[in-house]
Amino acid sequence: MQKKQILPGTIKRHPDGFGFFIPDDKEHPDVYIPRTSMEGIMTNDKVMAEVYPEKGSDRFRGEIVKVIQRGTKTFVGRFYKLNDKYGILRDEGKGWGQDLRIKIEDSMEAKDKELVAAEAITYPEDGKQFTGKVVSVIGNALDPLTDIKRVILSNNIPEAFSKETLEEAKRYKEVPDEKDFKGRKDLRGIDLITIDGATAKDFDDAVYVEVNNEGFLLYVAIADVSHYVQVGTAIDRDAYERGTSVYFPNFVVPMLPEVLSNGLCSLNPHVPRLCMVAEMQFDFTGEMTRSDFYEAVMESKSRVTYGEAQEIIDGNVVEKHAHVKENILRLADLAKILMGKRFKDGSLDLEIPETELVIDGAGVPIDIQRSERLFSHRLIEEMMLAANVAVAKFLNSRNVPALYRIHEPPNEQAIRLLEKYMATFGGKTKLGQGKLQKRLTKALEEFENRPEAQILNILTLRSMSQAKYSPNNVGHFGLGFEYYAHFTSPIRRYPDLIIHRLLKNQVVKSSQYRLMSEDDLATAGTILSAAEQRSTKAERQVQSIKKARFMEKFIGQELDGMISSVAKFGIFVLLREYDCDGLIRLDDLGGDKYEFDEENLKLVARRSGFTYSIGDNIRIQVAAADPELGQVNFVKAGVEIEDHDEDEEDDRTPAQASSEKYLKRLRKNSEKERERGDKDYPRIHNDRKEQRPSRKEDRFAKGKGKEEKGEKSRFKEGRFEKEGKAGKGFGGGKPQKSKFFGDSREDKSGQSLKQDKATKQFNFKPRELDSEERKGPDENLLRMILGPSEFRKANREDSAGEEKPKLSKKLRFSENSKLRDEDSYSVKNSESLKDSRLDKKKKTAKKKK
């Protein structure tokens, strides 16, 4: 039996107060931390924990020994003014453990309920309160223009460059110096062109191809960022901290100062630019026969958009690009050959349209579209993939420790689950026979041009592991490459900048660039993978917020959709007309009770046997949209819903509202209370997220984390089912009710500590309620407060003849959780919606029977 040990790791705090400790040792299972040890501990804190196995179980329990590093430094929320001295930021997402207290003099004169960003002054440890000061007043929380700002701050994305970086940036000119051309190959006579989106401002890459006796000679010129961003400079430090540029609708947080990202490093047309070139010779079958890498100076001959390139490929005339027409057509020919070879070798072809948000100047979404992927997009992707593979192979051949882009194969359990999904749709291909990539491609081909194809592509992507950066090259499963590294986007990705420096160490004479140790590369891989996940999370949050804003105007309207996911708590519906999805909870599916058939992945009605399955068409009614949380709720069209909006203004006095609440609570007492040990408590591993693909390549970066991809999680769903919510002990049994605090605690000893602490501080002791107090307000008193008619109405005595409202003005969401930070199609996307346990108000907001 294992003994107690002290391990470093990260904490994830559950909204109910307990937590899970994720050890840095990846081989060690996750560890349950009781509420008694979570005081002052916040989500993402780095801690040391004493860990020990539970008796008679393979589960682990632990106690926090000390906090090594705080994971949250900036706290974003609404400022609520309590009095003339203090205000608070409420712990809406339940990740801090308590509200943040702010002195009025430290509030930057923020108004009541105004959105602010605050920094902690003291954390809740060693008897200290959780206090802070406002560092930025964002504005009205409901103003669309504040959406991006609050997401940036809440995700701790560095937005402002340091003073040192800005000083260094001032030294750069608009064009390169002639002295920088010395020793470089001059490619200004070659018709290199950029092909990018219409709104792009930073151009990393330019391409040119010519046909010779051996096949195709391809030039991929990449901006020479490493020439300007030297190791150890302030610009380099800021770029490493950011890790990547973050792209939002109509706004970008760049990795590099604008003078570099949009100026000197950007391959703008008709101006000289420094570049690193991958020159590759392919035969007519698409096999690379040789490659060469060198520093060069180039001049883009045309700035071509994807749409314009597609026009030329389709045979139409685009006058302003007539001089580069032949180059574009040759590039298209090579792309077709490379693509065919790649798919033949086992690369997966998942066509998942990305969301395109059309936003006006006020930050309001005008439309949500599925962005169309043209062949011109694929053309550029193939050129970039070829260059990335060539560089990775070269560095490997030189035995140079490098930072590879890796994508591990999915585990067997995830594949079995995916196979089950496909069988539900009528698929016949078995995934367990032969090369997995080819079997997956064949299985997806069965559904080509069918409505289910999009959902199956999404489900396939979810089954994948998460692409990341690592010096330990295990290949790229999704692309089917043995060697793959990111080389083509150094303006917006720091890993590419590392690869450029390593490459220059090998190919540039008298190079000032140094190799990196494997330990340093491993550290960089971890940090930069996390930065990429942070960026992806923020981009998705903004998308969710904007989608919710867009859907607000459809509240009450009926739309057609398709079920994209089925879960124990409801179904997710993807709309046909707009690239937006929402949750229909079990209670909003109709009068029957539904059970989740895990074996066949469907919801089955107990009485009628009616089922809801993935791929089913369904007509829905938009019930609610919450831009602040980025959540959308649907109900099945035709299902009557109640108005549970307790925050809606009315004419009731506080006494009337309080009395009506009490009567409702009396009526609910007869109902069986929801079991506290619910197996479906939301998982809280918010750091292992699905990732969005890069702008031009590596679509498999969207692969899920371990919990998402179906792998046997280190704590399985239902593993702590006996423990339940905050009130139950880890081993089960009845919760210990607090007579003083009115809530539940993990164990008696923890409760005693709380009471002792309260007694010392306030000289106040808990007391037993006598029988009269337990009964609550006298019925006659309630009648007097409410009046006879209101009393009968509140007590349902004369409501039989009332007509129920067909549609609520606004539905409350199941929980005040953090913004969802996963893919809009993911079941995990709305873990925060599925469990209404976390909000006491929501417990009473059930539909009338």
Side-chain angles (χ1 to χ4, degrees), residues 664-693:
K664 289 180 182 179
R665 191 159 60 249
L666 286 178
R667 292 196 300 269
K668 297 296 181 183
N669 283 343
S670 60
E671 298 177 7
K672 185 178 179 180
E673 187 174 327
R674 183 173 180 171
E675 184 177 348
R676 289 184 175 271
D678 191 346
K679 297 179 182 180
D680 249 352
Y681 68 86
R683 293 181 188 167
I684 50 177
H685 290 263
N686 293 330
D687 61 332
R688 301 175 182 180
K689 300 301 176 189
E690 187 177 335
Q691 299 189 19
R692 185 162 299 279

mmCIF file of all heavy atoms in Angstrom, residues 664-693:
data_model
loop_
_atom_site.group_PDB
_atom_site.id
_atom_site.type_symbol
_atom_site.label_atom_id
_atom_site.label_comp_id
_atom_site.label_asym_id
_atom_site.label_seq_id
_atom_site.Cartn_x
_atom_site.Cartn_y
_atom_site.Cartn_z
ATOM 1 N N LYS A 664 -43.721 28.635 -1.601
ATOM 2 C CA LYS A 664 -43.198 27.736 -2.638
ATOM 3 C C LYS A 664 -42.310 26.664 -2.032
ATOM 4 O O LYS A 664 -42.335 25.507 -2.412
ATOM 5 C CB LYS A 664 -42.406 28.536 -3.684
ATOM 6 C CG LYS A 664 -43.269 29.401 -4.579
ATOM 7 C CD LYS A 664 -42.394 30.167 -5.578
ATOM 8 C CE LYS A 664 -43.222 31.072 -6.449
ATOM 9 N NZ LYS A 664 -42.396 31.845 -7.401
ATOM 10 N N ARG A 665 -41.488 27.086 -1.068
ATOM 11 C CA ARG A 665 -40.594 26.130 -0.425
ATOM 12 C C ARG A 665 -41.386 25.067 0.333
ATOM 13 O O ARG A 665 -41.019 23.899 0.365
ATOM 14 C CB ARG A 665 -39.639 26.871 0.499
ATOM 15 C CG ARG A 665 -38.496 26.003 1.008
ATOM 16 C CD ARG A 665 -37.322 26.834 1.484
ATOM 17 N NE ARG A 665 -37.664 27.720 2.571
ATOM 18 C CZ ARG A 665 -37.718 29.044 2.485
ATOM 19 N NH1 ARG A 665 -37.485 29.644 1.337
ATOM 20 N NH2 ARG A 665 -38.033 29.786 3.538
ATOM 21 N N LEU A 666 -42.500 25.470 0.973
ATOM 22 C CA LEU A 666 -43.342 24.502 1.663
ATOM 23 C C LEU A 666 -43.903 23.468 0.695
ATOM 24 O O LEU A 666 -43.982 22.279 1.000
ATOM 25 C CB LEU A 666 -44.497 25.222 2.379
ATOM 26 C CG LEU A 666 -44.161 26.004 3.656
ATOM 27 C CD1 LEU A 666 -45.410 26.679 4.190
ATOM 28 C CD2 LEU A 666 -43.567 25.088 4.710
ATOM 29 N N ARG A 667 -44.300 23.955 -0.490
ATOM 30 C CA ARG A 667 -44.850 23.022 -1.467
ATOM 31 C C ARG A 667 -43.782 22.055 -1.973
ATOM 32 O O ARG A 667 -44.047 20.907 -2.273
ATOM 33 C CB ARG A 667 -45.435 23.806 -2.650
ATOM 34 C CG ARG A 667 -46.658 24.616 -2.295
ATOM 35 C CD ARG A 667 -47.390 25.035 -3.561
ATOM 36 N NE ARG A 667 -46.560 25.854 -4.433
ATOM 37 C CZ ARG A 667 -46.512 27.177 -4.371
ATOM 38 N NH1 ARG A 667 -47.220 27.817 -3.457
ATOM 39 N NH2 ARG A 667 -45.744 27.851 -5.194
ATOM 40 N N LYS A 668 -42.550 22.545 -2.066
ATOM 41 C CA LYS A 668 -41.472 21.708 -2.586
ATOM 42 C C LYS A 668 -41.014 20.663 -1.584
ATOM 43 O O LYS A 668 -40.380 19.688 -1.941
ATOM 44 C CB LYS A 668 -40.265 22.582 -2.979
ATOM 45 C CG LYS A 668 -40.552 23.562 -4.084
ATOM 46 C CD LYS A 668 -40.890 22.881 -5.387
ATOM 47 C CE LYS A 668 -41.138 23.900 -6.490
ATOM 48 N NZ LYS A 668 -41.536 23.263 -7.752
ATOM 49 N N ASN A 669 -41.323 20.868 -0.298
ATOM 50 C CA ASN A 669 -40.847 19.933 0.723
ATOM 51 C C ASN A 669 -41.368 18.526 0.518
ATOM 52 O O ASN A 669 -40.754 17.551 0.928
ATOM 53 C CB ASN A 669 -41.241 20.422 2.121
ATOM 54 C CG ASN A 669 -40.347 21.540 2.590
ATOM 55 O OD1 ASN A 669 -39.273 21.734 2.038
ATOM 56 N ND2 ASN A 669 -40.796 22.291 3.585
ATOM 57 N N SER A 670 -42.533 18.421 -0.132
ATOM 58 C CA SER A 670 -43.099 17.096 -0.339
ATOM 59 C C SER A 670 -42.403 16.344 -1.470
ATOM 60 O O SER A 670 -42.551 15.135 -1.609
ATOM 61 C CB SER A 670 -44.595 17.208 -0.654
ATOM 62 O OG SER A 670 -44.773 17.971 -1.830
ATOM 63 N N GLU A 671 -41.687 17.092 -2.291
ATOM 64 C CA GLU A 671 -40.989 16.442 -3.402
ATOM 65 C C GLU A 671 -39.676 15.829 -2.906
ATOM 66 O O GLU A 671 -39.044 16.354 -1.988
ATOM 67 C CB GLU A 671 -40.661 17.469 -4.489
ATOM 68 C CG GLU A 671 -41.897 18.108 -5.089
ATOM 69 C CD GLU A 671 -41.515 19.166 -6.114
ATOM 70 O OE1 GLU A 671 -40.295 19.260 -6.406
ATOM 71 O OE2 GLU A 671 -42.403 19.859 -6.592
ATOM 72 N N LYS A 672 -39.323 14.757 -3.508
ATOM 73 C CA LYS A 672 -38.076 14.099 -3.132
ATOM 74 C C LYS A 672 -36.903 14.963 -3.567
ATOM 75 O O LYS A 672 -36.797 15.322 -4.722
ATOM 76 C CB LYS A 672 -37.979 12.726 -3.805
ATOM 77 C CG LYS A 672 -36.764 11.927 -3.353
ATOM 78 C CD LYS A 672 -36.757 10.558 -4.008
ATOM 79 C CE LYS A 672 -35.532 9.766 -3.575
ATOM 80 N NZ LYS A 672 -35.493 8.430 -4.191
ATOM 81 N N GLU A 673 -36.030 15.299 -2.605
ATOM 82 C CA GLU A 673 -34.895 16.176 -2.902
ATOM 83 C C GLU A 673 -33.907 15.456 -3.800
ATOM 84 O O GLU A 673 -33.667 14.264 -3.650
ATOM 85 C CB GLU A 673 -34.195 16.589 -1.617
ATOM 86 C CG GLU A 673 -33.125 17.640 -1.851
ATOM 87 C CD GLU A 673 -32.559 18.135 -0.535
ATOM 88 O OE1 GLU A 673 -33.324 18.174 0.433
ATOM 89 O OE2 GLU A 673 -31.367 18.448 -0.505
ATOM 90 N N ARG A 674 -33.390 16.198 -4.712
ATOM 91 C CA ARG A 674 -32.428 15.619 -5.644
ATOM 92 C C ARG A 674 -31.246 15.020 -4.908
ATOM 93 O O ARG A 674 -30.705 15.648 -4.011
ATOM 94 C CB ARG A 674 -31.917 16.721 -6.577
ATOM 95 C CG ARG A 674 -30.959 16.208 -7.632
ATOM 96 C CD ARG A 674 -30.670 17.329 -8.585
ATOM 97 N NE ARG A 674 -29.753 16.881 -9.613
ATOM 98 C CZ ARG A 674 -29.457 17.598 -10.670
ATOM 99 N NH1 ARG A 674 -30.036 18.744 -10.859
ATOM 100 N NH2 ARG A 674 -28.594 17.157 -11.551
ATOM 101 N N GLU A 675 -30.897 13.805 -5.279
ATOM 102 C CA GLU A 675 -29.825 13.120 -4.550
ATOM 103 C C GLU A 675 -28.532 13.908 -4.667
ATOM 104 O O GLU A 675 -28.124 14.310 -5.736
ATOM 105 C CB GLU A 675 -29.607 11.730 -5.137
ATOM 106 C CG GLU A 675 -28.582 10.934 -4.363
ATOM 107 C CD GLU A 675 -28.442 9.533 -4.925
ATOM 108 O OE1 GLU A 675 -29.282 9.155 -5.741
ATOM 109 O OE2 GLU A 675 -27.486 8.867 -4.546
ATOM 110 N N ARG A 676 -27.908 14.123 -3.536
ATOM 111 C CA ARG A 676 -26.701 14.950 -3.516
ATOM 112 C C ARG A 676 -25.508 14.279 -4.158
ATOM 113 O O ARG A 676 -24.566 14.925 -4.550
ATOM 114 C CB ARG A 676 -26.374 15.343 -2.080
ATOM 115 C CG ARG A 676 -27.352 16.358 -1.510
ATOM 116 C CD ARG A 676 -26.936 16.769 -0.136
ATOM 117 N NE ARG A 676 -27.792 17.811 0.358
ATOM 118 C CZ ARG A 676 -27.577 19.100 0.165
ATOM 119 N NH1 ARG A 676 -26.553 19.485 -0.522
ATOM 120 N NH2 ARG A 676 -28.410 20.001 0.656
ATOM 121 N N GLY A 677 -25.538 12.993 -4.247
ATOM 122 C CA GLY A 677 -24.397 12.296 -4.842
ATOM 123 C C GLY A 677 -24.543 12.114 -6.321
ATOM 124 O O GLY A 677 -24.192 11.077 -6.858
ATOM 125 N N ASP A 678 -25.116 13.095 -6.997
ATOM 126 C CA ASP A 678 -25.336 12.997 -8.428
ATOM 127 C C ASP A 678 -24.054 12.625 -9.159
ATOM 128 O O ASP A 678 -23.031 13.250 -9.018
ATOM 129 C CB ASP A 678 -25.828 14.362 -8.925
ATOM 130 C CG ASP A 678 -26.349 14.315 -10.344
ATOM 131 O OD1 ASP A 678 -26.093 13.311 -11.015
ATOM 132 O OD2 ASP A 678 -27.013 15.275 -10.747
ATOM 133 N N LYS A 679 -24.160 11.604 -10.024
ATOM 134 C CA LYS A 679 -22.971 11.165 -10.755
ATOM 135 C C LYS A 679 -22.573 12.159 -11.840
ATOM 136 O O LYS A 679 -21.487 12.080 -12.386
ATOM 137 C CB LYS A 679 -23.237 9.802 -11.407
ATOM 138 C CG LYS A 679 -23.505 8.698 -10.416
ATOM 139 C CD LYS A 679 -23.793 7.392 -11.158
ATOM 140 C CE LYS A 679 -24.124 6.270 -10.190
ATOM 141 N NZ LYS A 679 -24.412 5.011 -10.866
ATOM 142 N N ASP A 680 -23.503 13.052 -12.146
ATOM 143 C CA ASP A 680 -23.272 13.932 -13.292
ATOM 144 C C ASP A 680 -22.715 15.287 -12.916
ATOM 145 O O ASP A 680 -22.927 16.254 -13.593
ATOM 146 C CB ASP A 680 -24.596 14.167 -14.030
ATOM 147 C CG ASP A 680 -24.596 13.508 -15.382
ATOM 148 O OD1 ASP A 680 -23.535 13.019 -15.767
ATOM 149 O OD2 ASP A 680 -25.645 13.485 -16.032
ATOM 150 N N TYR A 681 -22.011 15.372 -11.761
ATOM 151 C CA TYR A 681 -21.504 16.681 -11.393
ATOM 152 C C TYR A 681 -20.525 17.147 -12.468
ATOM 153 O O TYR A 681 -19.798 16.353 -13.049
ATOM 154 C CB TYR A 681 -20.823 16.650 -10.016
ATOM 155 C CG TYR A 681 -19.550 15.865 -9.964
ATOM 156 C CD1 TYR A 681 -18.330 16.441 -10.305
ATOM 157 C CD2 TYR A 681 -19.559 14.528 -9.578
ATOM 158 C CE1 TYR A 681 -17.165 15.700 -10.258
ATOM 159 C CE2 TYR A 681 -18.403 13.800 -9.528
ATOM 160 C CZ TYR A 681 -17.212 14.383 -9.866
ATOM 161 O OH TYR A 681 -16.051 13.657 -9.818
ATOM 162 N N PRO A 682 -20.545 18.450 -12.724
ATOM 163 C CA PRO A 682 -19.711 18.940 -13.818
ATOM 164 C C PRO A 682 -18.238 18.704 -13.543
ATOM 165 O O PRO A 682 -17.740 19.019 -12.496
ATOM 166 C CB PRO A 682 -20.023 20.449 -13.841
ATOM 167 C CG PRO A 682 -21.309 20.581 -13.111
ATOM 168 C CD PRO A 682 -21.318 19.495 -12.088
ATOM 169 N N ARG A 683 -17.550 18.146 -14.507
ATOM 170 C CA ARG A 683 -16.099 18.012 -14.356
ATOM 171 C C ARG A 683 -15.466 19.378 -14.435
ATOM 172 O O ARG A 683 -15.992 20.295 -15.037
ATOM 173 C CB ARG A 683 -15.555 17.126 -15.467
ATOM 174 C CG ARG A 683 -16.042 15.690 -15.317
ATOM 175 C CD ARG A 683 -15.436 14.875 -16.438
ATOM 176 N NE ARG A 683 -16.035 13.543 -16.431
ATOM 177 C CZ ARG A 683 -15.907 12.701 -17.418
ATOM 178 N NH1 ARG A 683 -15.233 13.032 -18.479
ATOM 179 N NH2 ARG A 683 -16.464 11.511 -17.358
ATOM 180 N N ILE A 684 -14.292 19.482 -13.851
ATOM 181 C CA ILE A 684 -13.747 20.825 -13.663
ATOM 182 C C ILE A 684 -12.347 20.977 -14.221
ATOM 183 O O ILE A 684 -11.617 21.852 -13.846
ATOM 184 C CB ILE A 684 -13.765 21.175 -12.167
ATOM 185 C CG1 ILE A 684 -13.130 20.055 -11.370
ATOM 186 C CG2 ILE A 684 -15.163 21.411 -11.684
ATOM 187 C CD1 ILE A 684 -13.043 20.331 -9.896
ATOM 188 N N HIS A 685 -11.985 20.118 -15.153
ATOM 189 C CA HIS A 685 -10.639 20.235 -15.726
ATOM 190 C C HIS A 685 -10.665 21.252 -16.852
ATOM 191 O O HIS A 685 -10.581 20.929 -18.011
ATOM 192 C CB HIS A 685 -10.167 18.889 -16.244
ATOM 193 C CG HIS A 685 -9.889 17.919 -15.157
ATOM 194 N ND1 HIS A 685 -8.640 17.689 -14.664
ATOM 195 C CD2 HIS A 685 -10.700 17.141 -14.425
ATOM 196 C CE1 HIS A 685 -8.688 16.788 -13.697
ATOM 197 N NE2 HIS A 685 -9.939 16.449 -13.538
ATOM 198 N N ASN A 686 -10.753 22.510 -16.495
ATOM 199 C CA ASN A 686 -10.908 23.532 -17.504
ATOM 200 C C ASN A 686 -9.615 23.885 -18.214
ATOM 201 O O ASN A 686 -9.608 24.704 -19.111
ATOM 202 C CB ASN A 686 -11.486 24.802 -16.861
ATOM 203 C CG ASN A 686 -12.894 24.564 -16.385
ATOM 204 O OD1 ASN A 686 -13.600 23.750 -16.972
ATOM 205 N ND2 ASN A 686 -13.301 25.237 -15.338
ATOM 206 N N ASP A 687 -8.518 23.280 -17.778
ATOM 207 C CA ASP A 687 -7.259 23.613 -18.452
ATOM 208 C C ASP A 687 -6.972 22.678 -19.607
ATOM 209 O O ASP A 687 -6.060 22.921 -20.385
ATOM 210 C CB ASP A 687 -6.092 23.551 -17.458
ATOM 211 C CG ASP A 687 -5.924 22.162 -16.870
ATOM 212 O OD1 ASP A 687 -6.915 21.425 -16.784
ATOM 213 O OD2 ASP A 687 -4.794 21.839 -16.495
ATOM 214 N N ARG A 688 -7.770 21.559 -19.738
ATOM 215 C CA ARG A 688 -7.502 20.617 -20.821
ATOM 216 C C ARG A 688 -8.569 20.816 -21.874
ATOM 217 O O ARG A 688 -9.594 20.176 -21.858
ATOM 218 C CB ARG A 688 -7.538 19.190 -20.307
ATOM 219 C CG ARG A 688 -6.503 18.998 -19.200
ATOM 220 C CD ARG A 688 -6.596 17.635 -18.601
ATOM 221 N NE ARG A 688 -5.635 17.511 -17.514
ATOM 222 C CZ ARG A 688 -5.499 16.420 -16.803
ATOM 223 N NH1 ARG A 688 -6.213 15.369 -17.034
ATOM 224 N NH2 ARG A 688 -4.610 16.383 -15.818
ATOM 225 N N LYS A 689 -8.346 21.711 -22.788
ATOM 226 C CA LYS A 689 -9.403 22.132 -23.675
ATOM 227 C C LYS A 689 -9.107 21.771 -25.105
ATOM 228 O O LYS A 689 -7.984 21.634 -25.541
ATOM 229 C CB LYS A 689 -9.587 23.667 -23.593
ATOM 230 C CG LYS A 689 -9.952 24.129 -22.211
ATOM 231 C CD LYS A 689 -11.224 23.498 -21.745
ATOM 232 C CE LYS A 689 -11.524 23.893 -20.351
ATOM 233 N NZ LYS A 689 -12.620 23.150 -19.789
ATOM 234 N N GLU A 690 -10.237 21.722 -25.848
ATOM 235 C CA GLU A 690 -10.141 21.522 -27.275
ATOM 236 C C GLU A 690 -9.515 22.748 -27.902
ATOM 237 O O GLU A 690 -9.709 23.857 -27.445
ATOM 238 C CB GLU A 690 -11.563 21.319 -27.803
ATOM 239 C CG GLU A 690 -11.638 20.942 -29.251
ATOM 240 C CD GLU A 690 -13.086 20.696 -29.630
ATOM 241 O OE1 GLU A 690 -13.881 20.372 -28.747
ATOM 242 O OE2 GLU A 690 -13.383 20.836 -30.801
ATOM 243 N N GLN A 691 -8.790 22.560 -28.995
ATOM 244 C CA GLN A 691 -8.085 23.693 -29.565
ATOM 245 C C GLN A 691 -8.526 23.944 -30.994
ATOM 246 O O GLN A 691 -8.763 23.038 -31.764
ATOM 247 C CB GLN A 691 -6.578 23.439 -29.557
ATOM 248 C CG GLN A 691 -6.072 23.256 -28.136
ATOM 249 C CD GLN A 691 -4.584 23.232 -28.106
ATOM 250 O OE1 GLN A 691 -3.941 23.674 -29.034
ATOM 251 N NE2 GLN A 691 -4.026 22.723 -27.056
ATOM 252 N N ARG A 692 -8.636 25.226 -31.317
ATOM 253 C CA ARG A 692 -9.015 25.593 -32.671
ATOM 254 C C ARG A 692 -7.795 25.523 -33.575
ATOM 255 O O ARG A 692 -6.693 25.804 -33.169
ATOM 256 C CB ARG A 692 -9.581 27.018 -32.659
ATOM 257 C CG ARG A 692 -10.108 27.447 -34.003
ATOM 258 C CD ARG A 692 -11.019 28.642 -33.851
ATOM 259 N NE ARG A 692 -12.163 28.334 -33.026
ATOM 260 C CZ ARG A 692 -13.238 27.694 -33.481
ATOM 261 N NH1 ARG A 692 -13.290 27.275 -34.719
ATOM 262 N NH2 ARG A 692 -14.249 27.452 -32.672
ATOM 263 N N PRO A 693 -7.993 25.135 -34.852
ATOM 264 C CA PRO A 693 -6.846 25.007 -35.747
ATOM 265 C C PRO A 693 -6.224 26.355 -36.058
ATOM 266 O O PRO A 693 -6.860 27.396 -35.909
ATOM 267 C CB PRO A 693 -7.464 24.403 -37.016
ATOM 268 C CG PRO A 693 -8.884 24.823 -36.960
ATOM 269 C CD PRO A 693 -9.243 24.839 -35.503
#
